[in-house]
Amino acid sequence: STHGFDASDPRYRWKGEPYGNWATPVYTQPGTQATLYIGSAHVAFRDPVYIACLNVRTIVNVGAKNWHHMDMMPYWRDITQDGGPWRPYPNVSLHQYERPHATIVPNSTDLLDMRMQELQWPEYFGNVEGWIDHHLAAGNNTLLHDHKGCRGAVATAVTYIVRRTGLPLQNIYDEILAKRPCAKELKVAAHPNNWHYSKMQELGAGLAVPTVGVNGQWLVNW
């Protein structure tokens, strides 16, 4: 369990297993002791109490919706443009909740949120890597999630940890699998599961990762 929360709350268990709706601590920044968690969209969007319990202060969503029409592109409030206009993925937004949290945006009750579609995390991994580095170094616990927290989020987390620690990829994956059993979905021999696994191996091997511009500036100073 995490902070004594999961074990006592049946919402975070499915048939006895801590399935998608819980947050798994997977990496601790050596200097600040800030933690990177893997979780589900349920945790990120529907459970501000749990987010506050974990003291999560920023979110990376690698399972954002795939809008098919220009008029339906993400229209999140853009922190660099005072609320608009829409910005394509990857998008840095303000993640709103109804109750105040530990925030990093002055005079705001929102969390900062970087979003992209599920199959975009390898393309924008440089941004994700820099974002997590920046926030963990600042002491901000960070939640990395997709829909269930079992596929793209796991692949992204494993890649990040391998690149930061130099430990063998299989060791990192096995450690996360032991704590988050649904990570076994990466081993399913079907698209996109096996695609995520192969990209995890490529980027984990040290492949160079460029960054792209996000909202005109993707690392703002708070």
Side-chain angles (χ1 to χ4, degrees), residues 9-24:
D9 192 328
R11 290 179 300 168
Y12 297 102
R13 309 199 74 81
W14 176 252
K15 297 182 179 179
E17 179 182 342
Y19 193 56
N21 295 337
W22 77 322
T24 306

Side-chain angles (χ1 to χ4, degrees), residues 36 60 127-137 142 144 156 160:
L36 175 66
V60 179
N127 296 75
V128 173
E129 185 176 54
W131 181 267
I132 296 173
D133 280 347
H134 176 87
H135 287 289
L136 294 185
T142 299
L144 172 62
T156 306
Y160 177 82

Side-chain angles (χ1 to χ4, degrees), residues 46-67:
R46 297 183 178 273
D47 207 335
V49 175
Y50 189 36
I51 289 287
C53 172
L54 299 175
N55 196 29
V56 165
R57 303 179 69 164
T58 185
I59 295 172
V60 179
N61 178 1
V62 294
K65 291 183 178 180
N66 181 14
W67 303 108

Side-chain angles (χ1 to χ4, degrees), residues 26 48 101 131 146 170 181 204:
V26 293
H101 293 46
W131 181 267
D146 51 24
Q170 191 62 49

Side-chain angles (χ1 to χ4, degrees), residues 26-27 36 38 121-126 128-129 132-133 144 151-170 172-173 176 186 195-209:
V26 293
Y27 176 74
L36 175 66
I38 298 174
W121 73 266
E123 180 182 358
Y124 302 133
F125 184 78
V128 173
E129 185 176 54
I132 296 173
D133 280 347
L144 172 62
R151 199 164 60 186
V154 172
T156 306
V158 170
T159 302
Y160 177 82
I161 297 168
V162 168
R163 292 170 67 96
R164 284 293 158 270
T165 65
L167 296 173
L169 183 147
Q170 191 62 49
I172 299 298
Y173 174 72
I176 291 176
L186 281 183
W195 180 88
H196 284 296
Y197 195 86
S198 66
K199 293 300 179 182
M200 178 179 76
Q201 291 178 308
E202 290 175 14
L203 296 176
L207 187 69
V209 287

Side-chain angles (χ1 to χ4, degrees), residues 63-192:
K65 291 183 178 180
N66 181 14
W67 303 108
H68 296 286
H69 189 277
M70 185 65 71
D71 291 341
M72 293 294 289
M73 286 296 286
Y75 205 87
W76 317 116
R77 287 198 293 132
D78 184 339
I79 59 177
T80 67
Q81 297 292 330
D82 194 28
W86 67 266
R87 298 285 171 169
Y89 294 133
N91 184 281
V92 176
S93 319
L94 289 177
H95 189 101
Q96 295 179 286
Y97 289 110
E98 294 179 354
R99 66 180 63 220
H101 293 46
T103 63
I104 57 174
V105 181
N107 303 315
S108 173
T109 59
D110 301 327
L111 302 177
L112 284 171
D113 186 342
M114 174 178 279
R115 307 183 188 205
M116 62 197 67
Q117 296 170 24
E118 180 183 9
L119 300 184
Q120 291 180 324
W121 73 266
E123 180 182 358
Y124 302 133
F125 184 78
N127 296 75
V128 173
E129 185 176 54
W131 181 267
I132 296 173
D133 280 347
H134 176 87
H135 287 289
L136 294 185
N140 300 322
N141 288 352
T142 299
L143 175 68
L144 172 62
H145 78 89
D146 51 24
H147 178 56
K148 294 190 297 184
C150 302
R151 199 164 60 186
V154 172
T156 306
V158 170
T159 302
Y160 177 82
I161 297 168
V162 168
R163 292 170 67 96
R164 284 293 158 270
T165 65
L167 296 173
L169 183 147
Q170 191 62 49
N171 290 11
I172 299 298
Y173 174 72
D174 288 345
E175 182 178 339
I176 291 176
L177 180 63
K179 295 190 289 186
R180 193 172 185 86
C182 70
K184 64 187 177 184
E185 290 190 15
L186 281 183
K187 287 297 191 75
V188 174
H191 185 79

